Amino acid sequence: MPAIRPQTIAYPAAGARPRSRETEPLAPYVIVLFGATGDLAKRKLLPGLAYLEQSALAPDVRIVGTAMDDLTTDEFRSLARAAVENFGTHGIDDAAWREFADRLIYVPQSAGPEGLTAAVKEAESLLGPQCRRLHYLSVPPKAAEAVIAMLRDADLVDKSRVVMEKPFGHDLASAQRLNDFVHSVFDESQIFRIDHFLGKEAALNILAFRFANGLFEPIWNRNFIDHVQIDIPETLGLDQRASFYEVTGAYKDMVVTHLMQVMAFVAMEPPTALEPSAISEEKNKVFRSMLPLDTHKVVRGQYGGYRDEPGVNRDSDTETFIALEVEIDNWRWAGVPFYLRTGKRMAEGLRIISIAFSEAPRSMFPANSGVSGQGPDHLTFDLAEDSRVSLSFYGKRPGPGFRLEKLSMQFSTQETDRAGDVLEAYERLILDAMRGDHTLFTTADGIESLWDRSAALCDDPPPVKFYPQGSWGPNAIHQLIAPNAWRLPFERAWREKK
């Protein structure tokens, strides 16, 4: 019987085996990767699985790839090697590649449930009777039900966990139908609705900053915080996703699936314990406390030239940009606006959460001293892989007189001796799914609450306003946030490690 690898919690530096500390052992896993030849699989999933395998973080695994493409296992292995070499961030030598490649097999969708069952059983025979199954649905949302039905027909539900990609439905009714269908096959405890933004080191750092520091938690409320911005502009365009994007748009693609999930980490109450069910419940309380979206506080935009893209309707009203105000009607946040913004073909590609603190009620400094001239103090989290945090504040400018200027204190995981321990988001989330840890995944209740609050926007969205490519969106975004101002573009640069 194959040995069960220990679960390790000390993450390794690139190219190195971790210093293992044993906790509860993880059983071997057969990972069934649906959509194994798609863009997400090539860019993130296959390189991530290769790294987890060579670093020994994951248990012993076998990977069954399946997709519409009629490939052999050798052809799939060639595709996987190109993916790891082109998109992997850790590097892999020939010996490590051969070890990983031996764990890959492929079965085309045309083989049907019987072919998939045979491939999984073959992989399981190599791992022993204790092995479990992880089904990763890297498929378009409209294909999710067909894949779930195939797993049911292939008798691959037992001892299984299933990872589902966003968006989960496109409105409340469709989310409820999909939840009902998935629940007819899998128990909720087996379902992992993935949001890769929550797998980022910086997202977890929000919980650490809030609940581990007496400096921040006492002021994390409406008495001291003026407003919050979650701002995720992208420079990328459609990237060959026109058929998906035309029926989805920026709100369903990014806001309800990513930005609002991150918002819940910012706004949630302290959980009773640092464990999945307690954290999920506090996140869901945030969603239940949201007021229905007011379409008068939403700006939808479309970049110039979008309608000329291949696969896009010439009279399309799909938004490639959206900015909105969200209100959370509870004791902690009543009256504090949360501003969310994201879009395609914008000036910069950044991912920030900015907490704007209330200004002092009375200033003893004269009008020409510089105070209040550069906006409120901010605590800013950058969701980049190096997990940066900045606190800006006013300080005295050196020299005669009493002139103030904005200063900042900055931190980055790249400045620590544990920089090599950072896992890429999909690597972390795949590992968590194998561990059965739902902390960084969304729930059926949470998803349905968000779609319920989104009903007015989904049913009667305001018309799109055009914006130039390379800009920060339509001009109307400034009226949306007035009298405040958008944090991006920054008034200062991040300090880089030297």
Side-chain angles (χ1 to χ4, degrees):
M1 178 185 302
I4 298 177
R5 292 189 188 180
Q7 176 187 337
T8 58
I9 58 176
Y11 296 144
R17 295 269 168 176
R19 296 184 298 275
S20 174
R21 285 192 291 164
E22 293 189 6
T23 57
E24 60 186 85
L26 275 176
Y29 262 89
V30 174
I31 300 174
V32 183
L33 180 55
F34 290 87
T37 61
D39 187 66
L40 177 61
K42 288 187 283 191
R43 289 179 177 273
K44 295 294 185 180
L45 303 180
L46 289 168
L49 288 168
Y51 176 61
L52 289 176
E53 163 56 31
Q54 67 172 314
S55 68
L57 284 170
D60 195 11
V61 300
R62 293 294 186 274
I63 300 165
V64 178
T66 182
M68 300 299 293
D69 302 87
D70 191 16
L71 303 179
T72 65
T73 290
D74 285 341
E75 289 171 332
F76 177 60
R77 289 172 176 171
S78 297
L79 178 150
R81 177 150 201 181
V84 172
E85 291 176 347
N86 292 334
F87 301 110
T89 58
H90 304 289
I92 187 169
D93 59 30
D94 288 342
W97 165 253
R98 287 192 295 270
E99 184 176 349
F100 179 65
D102 286 344
R103 300 173 186 277
L104 300 175
I105 59 175
Y106 183 83
V107 55
Q109 292 276 293
S110 58
E114 298 81 8
L116 183 62
T117 301
V120 171
K121 295 296 185 183
E122 177 185 345
E124 288 179 336
S125 69
L126 302 173
L127 296 176
Q130 290 181 296
C131 72
R132 298 182 60 89
R133 302 160 182 158
L134 181 71
H135 308 301
Y136 197 114
L137 275 60
S138 178
V139 298
K142 62 184 179 182
E145 288 193 24
V147 173
I148 295 295
M150 185 177 189
L151 290 171
R152 177 197 61 204
D153 297 342
D155 194 23
L156 295 176
V157 176
D158 187 39
K159 300 188 301 181
S160 293
R161 292 169 175 147
V162 57
V163 179
M164 301 188 69
E165 277 286 342
K166 57 88 178 175
F168 199 89
H170 55 81
D171 58 15
L172 177 59
S174 62
Q176 290 174 330
R177 285 195 302 270
L178 182 55
N179 274 325
D180 289 344
F181 180 79
V182 177
H183 286 153
S184 72
V185 179
F186 290 95
D187 183 77
E188 177 67 16
S189 64
Q190 296 176 277
I191 304 166
F192 294 77
R193 299 169 187 82
I194 195 168
D195 173 12
H196 71 273
F197 274 56
L198 297 187
K200 294 180 178 295
E201 198 77 27
L204 294 172
N205 227 353
I206 298 170
L207 298 184
F209 263 76
R210 286 199 55 191
F211 301 128
N213 294 296
L215 176 63
F216 292 109
E217 179 53 29
I219 62 172
W220 209 269
N221 56 59
R222 60 187 175 86
N223 297 319
F224 299 96
I225 292 177
D226 181 78
H227 67 276
V228 177
Q229 296 181 33
I230 301 175
D231 206 353
I232 304 182
E234 298 180 298
T235 57
L236 297 174
L238 300 187
D239 195 25
Q240 300 180 338
R241 300 168 71 217
S243 60
F244 165 78
Y245 206 83
E246 259 294 89
V247 298
T248 306
Y251 181 75
K252 296 175 182 178
D253 183 41
M254 289 291 292
V255 178
V256 77
T257 51
H258 293 322
L259 277 69
M260 286 181 175
Q261 300 296 332
V262 173
M263 182 188 72
F265 270 9
V266 176
M268 64 188 278
E269 295 296 318
T272 55
L274 195 64
E275 55 92 16
S277 61
I279 292 175
S280 293
E281 176 55 24
E282 295 304 333
K283 286 174 56 188
N284 289 344
K285 286 180 183 178
V286 173
F287 300 144
R288 291 194 292 268
S289 298
M290 282 175 53
L291 293 178
L293 295 182
D294 182 349
T295 57
H296 295 97
K297 297 180 179 179
V298 176
V299 176
R300 296 172 69 242
Q302 188 182 97
Y303 66 76
Y306 171 77
R307 296 177 179 180
D308 298 325
E309 300 271 15
V312 172
N313 294 327
R314 293 300 172 256
D315 58 352
S316 174
D317 190 54
T318 298
E319 80 277 0
T320 62
F321 169 97
I322 191 163
L324 64 156
E325 179 182 322
V326 176
E327 298 175 85
I328 300 174
D329 189 25
N330 63 17
W331 194 273
R332 183 183 291 264
W333 295 112
V336 177
F338 284 71
Y339 297 106
L340 280 54
R341 176 173 68 169
T342 187
K344 299 285 189 184
R345 298 289 189 193
M346 295 183 68
E348 295 182 55
L350 295 169
R351 298 169 178 178
I352 69 130
I353 303 163
S354 191
I355 314 297
F357 294 103
S358 301
E359 297 193 49
R362 178 177 172 84
S363 176
M364 65 182 183
F365 301 100
N368 62 353
S369 65
V371 71
S372 299
Q374 299 180 54
D377 299 336
H378 285 84
L379 176 65
T380 302
F381 297 88
D382 183 359
L383 298 183
E385 298 300 337
D386 50 5
S387 185
R388 298 179 291 195
V389 182
S390 169
L391 178 63
S392 69
F393 54 92
Y394 284 101
K396 182 187 177 299
R397 180 184 296 176
F402 216 103
R403 183 75 178 171
L404 303 180
E405 63 182 353
K406 262 298 173 66
L407 307 174
S408 71
M409 293 187 295
Q410 298 185 19
F411 161 80
S412 169
T413 54
Q414 296 302 311
E415 298 173 355
T416 74
D417 59 0
R418 302 301 298 269
D421 292 358
V422 176
L423 283 177
E424 198 274 334
Y426 281 98
E427 295 165 357
R428 176 189 298 277
L429 293 171
I430 290 171
L431 187 60
D432 282 355
M434 286 191 284
R435 292 169 53 213
D437 186 341
H438 281 84
T439 301
L440 302 178
F441 296 85
T442 58
T443 67
D445 289 345
I447 289 291
E448 291 180 11
S449 292
L450 287 176
W451 284 125
D452 180 53
R453 301 329 185 254
S454 305
L457 180 58
C458 292
D459 294 343
D460 188 22
V464 296
K465 301 177 184 293
F466 295 101
Y467 64 96
Q469 295 188 37
S471 72
W472 289 100
N475 288 332
I477 61 171
H478 303 297
Q479 287 75 49
L480 173 70
I481 202 172
N484 302 306
W486 290 100
R487 186 75 167 137
L488 292 177
F490 279 137
E491 77 281 357
R492 50 95 184 103
W494 287 103
R495 184 180 70 240
E496 300 294 339
K497 181 181 178 182
K498 296 181 180 179

